[in-house]
């Protein structure tokens, strides 16, 4: 059973969002989590669409739900520079780091190669 330690297992995102809206209302929810879909013409349908596409926003909503209901909070994902980010962001950052030319070379042509295309 891989979901045994997941407090959100079996809770639909719609149920989670509905409970938060009933407890806080759209205005306070928008103040707690700075997301446009909570502040401008909010609805469950548009918010669900946004949260399903945007991992960082969904993580914030899930964290607020867990904290509100006094459920166990997820462990933070460790990073070398101390910045907290989702797995997708980490993969993107790692891919960009691999694509960058090394700074060990003193060759002036590589310094602005990414800007000037040389």
């Amino acid at each position: 059973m891989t979901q045994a330690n997941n407090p959100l297992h079996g809770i639909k995102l719609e149920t989670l969002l509905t409970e938060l809206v009933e407890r806080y209302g759209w205005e306070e929810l928008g103040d707690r989590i700075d997301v446009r879909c909570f502040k401008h013409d909010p609805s469950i349908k548009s918010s669900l669409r946004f949260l399903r596409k945007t991992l960082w926003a969904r993580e914030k909503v899930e964290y607020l739900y867990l904290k509100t209901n006094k459920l166990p909070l997820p462990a933070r994902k460790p990073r070398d520079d101390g910045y907290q980010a989702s797995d997708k962001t980490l993969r993107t950052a790692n891919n960009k780091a691999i694509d960058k030319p090394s700074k060990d070379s003193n060759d002036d042509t590589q310094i602005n190669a990414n800007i000037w295309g040389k």
Side-chain angles (χ1 to χ4, degrees):
M1 196 181 241
T2 60
Q3 295 291 326
N5 295 326
N6 185 355
L8 293 173
H9 181 68
I11 300 173
K12 292 183 179 182
L13 185 58
E14 182 176 7
T15 305
L16 186 142
L17 183 61
T18 304
E19 286 184 25
L20 288 175
V21 170
E22 287 174 1
R23 181 176 182 119
Y24 296 112
W26 288 111
E27 188 174 334
E28 188 176 343
L29 192 59
D31 290 339
R32 289 176 178 264
I33 303 172
D34 191 20
V35 178
R36 190 176 193 280
C37 68
F38 293 161
K39 293 184 174 191
H40 301 285
D41 194 25
S43 71
I44 296 289
K45 184 178 178 181
S46 66
S47 298
L48 286 173
R49 188 177 323 129
F50 177 75
L51 293 172
R52 287 183 180 125
K53 291 180 183 178
T54 314
L55 181 61
W56 64 265
R58 186 173 66 237
E59 287 176 347
K60 287 186 177 193
V61 169
E62 289 173 349
Y63 183 84
L64 178 62
Y65 179 82
L66 291 172
K67 194 172 177 182
T68 300
N69 292 315
K70 297 181 177 145
L71 295 170
L73 300 175
R76 295 213 175 245
K77 298 172 187 169
R79 282 198 51 178
D80 294 336
D81 59 1
Y83 178 75
Q84 184 69 30
S86 65
D87 290 337
K88 185 176 181 183
T89 307
L90 289 172
R91 285 193 304 270
T92 304
N94 288 338
N95 290 340
K96 286 181 181 178
I98 291 170
D99 293 340
K100 285 185 179 178
S102 66
K103 292 187 177 185
D104 296 336
S105 174
N106 290 332
D107 189 21
D108 289 337
T109 58
Q110 288 187 354
I111 293 174
N112 292 324
N114 59 339
I115 298 171
W116 303 109
K118 292 182 180 180

